């Protein structure tokens, strides 16, 4: 394991400790599951809980026993509310409604935020010169907002800024 990967692990662990110590609210991490038909009968999609995470910009940092010490690249975000009935206004609206319905069927708490479709980022040597949101350039862990973004910032600076905003939000941000 390179120094950059070790440094990334240490920075992410320190960020998780800081968020936990400040009692920053976390969010659910879920997996959208489309069950196979049973005896030819189609079953409705649901979301399966994978644990809890803190959303730190482009990264999800594990906050529970199931997710601790792990990180994901942010995927899709769904707020758990009653899905309502289909109105066929647009494909994107119906997709969001289907995600809300799956979250309700997955027994997530009303009002909770569920992150799904997130890709786990392995904290190993595959980060070196990687093309994902988190990678190591030389011996410096870096973050980019998306895999296609041309620019990246050092993980230390990124976490200091993003975690700082979560721990001590600006006045009016949470009102």
């Amino acid at each position: 394991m390179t120094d950059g990967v070790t440094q990334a692990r240490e920075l992410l662990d320190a960020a998780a400790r800081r968020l936990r110590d400040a009692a920053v609210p976390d969010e659910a991490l879920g997996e959208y599951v489309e069950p196979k038909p049973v005896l030819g009968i189609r079953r409705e999609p649901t979301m399966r809980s994978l644990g809890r995470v803190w959303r730190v910009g482009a990264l999800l940092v594990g906050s529970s026993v199931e997710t601790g010490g792990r990180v994901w690249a942010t995927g899709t975000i769904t707020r758990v509310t009653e899905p309502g009935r289909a109105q066929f206004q647009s494909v994107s609206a119906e997709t969001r409604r289907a995600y809300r319905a799956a979250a309700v069927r997955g027994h997530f708490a009303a009002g909770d935020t569920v992150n799904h479709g997130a890709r786990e980022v392995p904290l190993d040597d595959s980060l070196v010169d990687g093309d994902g949101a988190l990678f190591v350039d030389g011996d410096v862990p870096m973050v980019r907002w998306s895999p296609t973004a041309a620019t990246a910032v050092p993980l230390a600076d990124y976490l200091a800024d993003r975690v700082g905003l979560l721990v001590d939000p600006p006045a009016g941000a949470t009102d």
Side-chain angles (χ1 to χ4, degrees), residues 12 15-17 19-20 24-29 50-56 60-72:
L12 289 163
R17 274 193 305 278
L19 291 164
R20 188 174 299 107
V24 172
D26 57 7
E27 300 175 348
L29 177 65
L50 300 175
R52 306 288 297 177
V53 293
W54 288 290
R55 188 170 1 125
V56 183
L60 302 173
V61 178
S63 66
S64 64
V65 173
E66 302 89 355
T67 61
R70 296 161 57 195
V71 66
W72 289 260

Side-chain angles (χ1 to χ4, degrees), residues 3-5 7-9 11-12 58-59 71 121 123 127-146 149-159:
D3 289 341
V5 173
Q7 185 181 4
R9 284 177 178 241
L11 288 167
L12 289 163
L59 302 175
V71 66
V121 177
L123 296 175
L127 289 179
V128 177
D129 297 325
D131 58 359
L134 178 62
F135 67 101
V136 173
D137 184 18
D139 271 338
V140 179
M142 306 285 285
V143 176
R144 52 173 85 92
W145 277 101
S146 73
T151 59
V153 295
L155 179 62
D157 297 342
Y158 179 84
L159 289 174

Side-chain angles (χ1 to χ4, degrees), residues 45-140:
T46 187
M47 284 202 198
R48 181 173 66 93
S49 177
L50 300 175
R52 306 288 297 177
V53 293
W54 288 290
R55 188 170 1 125
V56 183
L59 302 175
L60 302 173
V61 178
S63 66
S64 64
V65 173
E66 302 89 355
T67 61
R70 296 161 57 195
V71 66
W72 289 260
T74 303
T76 305
I77 301 162
T78 299
R79 176 79 60 187
V80 182
T81 62
E82 280 301 317
R85 57 185 167 79
Q87 297 185 12
F88 306 104
Q89 292 179 346
S90 69
V91 173
S92 62
E94 289 305 310
T95 300
R96 289 190 305 273
R97 191 190 69 72
Y99 285 148
R100 288 192 306 271
V104 168
R105 279 191 294 279
H107 305 291
F108 289 93
D112 200 1
T113 301
V114 180
N115 296 276
H116 55 98
R119 294 175 320 281
E120 186 168 2
V121 177
L123 296 175
D124 59 22
D125 287 335
S126 67
L127 289 179
V128 177
D129 297 325
D131 58 359
L134 178 62
F135 67 101
V136 173
D137 184 18
D139 271 338
V140 179

